Amino acid sequence: SQQGEEDPQALSIQEGENATMNCSYKTSINNLQWYRQNSGRGLVHLILIRSNEREKHSGRLRVTLDTSKKSSSLLITASRAADTASYFCATDSVTAGNMLTFGGGTRLMVKP
Amino acid sequence: DTAVSQTPKYLVTQMGNDKSIKCEQNLGHDTMYWYKQDSKKFLKIMFSYNNKELIINETVPNRFSPKSPDKAHLNLHINSLELGDSAVYFCASRGSHSGNTIYFGEGSWLTVV
């Protein structure tokens, strides 16, 4: 199964609402990253949180990490229609060498 | 200028054919990757290539082979294509000066008929 698993698989909200996506993983990590993928495009890095950090902010993004529960969440505040995309968490684990392992993604739709 | 570029963007081919997807990065990165994204959007690492060290995901069939003529290029060769190979293939790169961020290409849509 995927190292990172996102929840929910799909999320539909109205513009202006907040969107929360969760990610769970199995092994010890060096860091956890969130990426965004617009339809038909490649993935774009959003934010990285290290294993010794608990929370990180970047603009309207807020990421938390709970290493005891092996989980992370991505919060997008005041969502916009342009935030419509798939969001993936990726783990940079101790045992995976130089490779990031991605989850299945959350497909977010923000309705105008 | 595109940082990670891959060609072709779309490829439709028949079963049994051999095809290649090219990838180039102009970021000066040391490590390059190939990922496969299936119809359910799952991204699976296929290969990691760093300073002539190749790390292969053991689940990848040996019909798939990466070729790196130099540090800026990592091409993907696929022999005897099968229907199940239809997917989007992403090239990516990572450098020591970019921290742990991976930069992705725009993807190559492969359809095997």
Side-chain angles (χ1 to χ4, degrees), chain A residues 29-59:
Chain A
I29 61 171
N30 295 318
N31 63 73
L32 185 144
Q33 305 179 35
W34 285 89
Y35 285 77
R36 166 191 169 129
Q37 183 181 31
N38 286 1
S39 180
R41 305 298 297 274
L43 280 78
V44 176
H45 180 261
L46 293 176
I47 194 166
L48 177 153
I49 186 164
R50 301 188 190 284
S51 60
N52 61 353
E53 297 176 315
R54 293 296 167 260
E55 189 171 313
K56 203 157 182 183
H57 297 255
S58 176

Side-chain angles (χ1 to χ4, degrees), chain B residues 2-112:
Chain B
T2 305
V4 181
S5 59
Q6 49 184 114
T7 56
K9 188 170 178 69
Y10 300 101
L11 179 59
V12 180
T13 187
Q14 290 188 327
M15 281 174 56
N17 284 351
D18 302 337
K19 290 295 177 185
S20 296
I21 305 172
K22 295 184 177 180
C23 178
E24 176 182 4
Q25 53 94 4
N26 62 5
L27 298 166
H29 286 172
D30 298 320
T31 305
M32 295 185 72
Y33 308 89
W34 277 103
Y35 281 86
K36 177 182 179 180
Q37 187 172 43
D38 62 25
S39 58
K40 294 183 178 179
K41 302 295 185 185
F42 281 105
L43 265 169
K44 186 175 86 169
I45 181 73
M46 300 179 71
F47 304 102
S48 167
Y49 196 86
N50 176 298
N51 289 329
K52 300 186 179 180
E53 180 189 9
L54 177 65
I55 301 175
I56 303 172
N57 184 327
E58 60 189 15
T59 67
V60 174
N62 57 15
R63 297 181 295 103
F64 291 79
S65 58
K67 297 283 194 304
S68 180
D70 56 58
K71 202 171 79 167
H73 296 84
L74 184 65
N75 303 323
L76 182 64
H77 298 272
I78 315 170
N79 294 327
S80 302
L81 278 156
E82 300 177 357
L83 293 176
D85 297 333
S86 295
V88 185
Y89 292 85
F90 286 97
C91 178
S93 72
R94 182 179 190 174
S96 55
H97 54 277
S98 68
N100 295 293
T101 301
I102 287 187
Y103 292 80
F104 282 82
E106 291 292 284
S108 293
W109 270 252
L110 173 65
T111 302
V112 182

Side-chain angles (χ1 to χ4, degrees), chain A residues 70-81:
Chain A
K70 291 186 168 58
S71 67
S72 173
S73 67
L74 171 67
L75 169 68
I76 304 175
T77 60
S79 63
R80 305 166 182 167

Side-chain angles (χ1 to χ4, degrees), chain A residues 1-15:
Chain A
S1 61
Q2 296 284 319
Q3 158 73 332
E5 296 184 5
E6 283 90 341
D7 167 52
Q9 290 187 344
L11 180 61
S12 181
I13 59 174
Q14 293 295 136
E15 219 170 16

